[in-house]
Amino acid sequence: MRVLSFFKMLILGLLSIAIVPTAAANEAPAVYAQCIACHGDNGQGNTALSSPAIAGLSESYITRQLNNYASGKRGQHPEDVSGQQMVMISKPLDLNKDVPALAHYIANLPQVKAVSQVSGDLKNGSRYYHAKCGACHGGQAQGNKSFNAPKLAGQHSSYLSKQMRYFSSGVRGTHADDKLGRQMAMMAKTVNEKELKDILFFISQQ
Ligand code: HEC
Ligand code: HEC
């Protein structure tokens, strides 16, 4: 009996060491409750609702996008129905309190497994990607903070494809103060549909 309870205590002790610090390290701020319906408990997104995965995007990118929606740099175009949803969500957020807490929490969520419905030529995809995208988004599409380029790996292909269409058709990345969006809009115009299909397939394999 004494031996058994000693082991029980030992196990409980080890469990609390193992569990408590990780739980405390990344606790959802209360305001994240507003995000779950579309982006999910783990920031995995929801392709049926056209909601992107947000888990593991960088703090700076999340912060910039929430600010962009709130300030009218993104999601203003009349055709941008999903962007308009995020404008409505972002406007009431406290930019000094809610946004940093959300960005910190979401950036520290583990990357999720993306939904990919694209198929393509991996070899061509890799070639086009490295020629046209990798310099900014990183060799494995992991993102590159020094160029402000977000991670694309782990993102649902349908979302990436839609954003590319938005950039090239002027739905996203046209606002005068959206320098980085304008830069990406220029890049989006350099790929044709066949190249993009292969590039998206390459990204889905990262
Ligand atoms: C009603 C559904 C809905 C809710 C609720 C919602 N989102 Fe979104 N979110 C979307 C959709 C749809 C998009 C894609 C919009 C677009 O195409 O610009 C998006 C885009 C984003 C992006 C940009 C992602 C990227 O890769 O550029 C961020 C960041 C984000 N949401 C964070 C949040 C946070 C934080 C909350 C809670 C405060 C939230 N969202 C609540 C639907 C939602
Ligand atoms: C000159 C650097 C640069 C190059 C080259 C570039 N990008 Fe980007 N890309 C960016 C930046 C910066 C952003 C963020 C824009 C913003 O803040 O709205 C971005 C955003 C994106 C987004 C939106 C991601 C999201 O989560 O909403 C997609 C998709 C994307 N890029 C795909 C590509 C693809 C595919 C290529 C190659 C054809 C490419 N990019 C080439 C800099 C670049």
Side-chain angles (χ1 to χ4, degrees):
M1 275 310 273
R2 281 216 338 254
V3 175
L4 189 68
S5 61
F6 170 76
F7 274 111
K8 265 194 197 157
M9 276 170 64
L10 184 70
I11 286 167
L12 281 176
L14 287 175
L15 275 177
S16 61
I17 292 170
I19 291 169
V20 171
T22 33
N26 197 24
E27 216 170 290
V31 63
Y32 187 73
Q34 295 178 27
C35 321
I36 291 177
C38 299
H39 293 287
D41 273 333
N42 304 311
Q44 72 272 34
N46 182 332
T47 48
L49 300 174
S50 306
S51 298
I54 50 177
L57 289 172
S58 71
E59 266 183 78
S60 56
Y61 179 74
I62 297 167
T63 304
R64 185 166 73 249
Q65 297 314 306
L66 293 176
N67 276 282
N68 283 355
Y69 287 122
S71 68
K73 289 184 207 159
R74 183 176 175 187
Q76 288 300 314
H77 195 283
E79 279 168 38
D80 191 358
V81 180
S82 37
Q84 283 160 18
Q85 282 183 325
M86 269 314 293
V87 171
M88 274 168 36
I89 302 281
S90 302
K91 277 204 169 133
L93 294 177
D94 183 331
L95 295 178
N96 299 312
K97 196 169 143 266
D98 297 335
V99 170
L102 285 165
H104 181 77
Y105 172 68
I106 297 165
N108 285 294
L109 289 171
Q111 181 175 310
V112 295
K113 180 95 191 74
V115 178
S116 172
Q117 271 136 0
V118 287
S119 57
D121 183 322
L122 190 59
K123 214 168 137 222
N124 281 338
S126 169
R127 195 155 53 86
Y128 301 142
Y129 177 85
H130 288 106
K132 298 189 173 186
C133 324
C136 292
H137 289 280
Q140 281 92 45
Q142 75 275 28
N144 185 336
K145 277 174 207 170
S146 15
F147 296 116
N148 298 298
K151 174 165 77 78
L152 305 173
Q155 186 54 272
H156 310 300
S157 301
S158 52
Y159 171 78
L160 293 176
S161 152
K162 186 165 83 175
Q163 296 306 308
M164 290 299 280
R165 187 158 38 82
Y166 278 4
F167 279 124
S168 54
S169 67
V171 173
R172 179 175 173 187
T174 50
H175 194 285
D177 297 330
D178 185 9
K179 255 207 214 145
L180 295 167
R182 287 153 65 101
Q183 189 186 48
M184 186 48 224
M186 256 163 47
M187 297 315 303
K189 289 177 186 132
T190 68
V191 285
N192 63 37
E193 252 173 61
K194 164 75 178 72
E195 290 169 335
L196 182 58
K197 197 165 163 271
D198 291 342
I199 289 173
L200 293 180
F201 184 60
F202 170 79
I203 294 172
S204 76
Q205 302 301 303
Q206 301 309 300

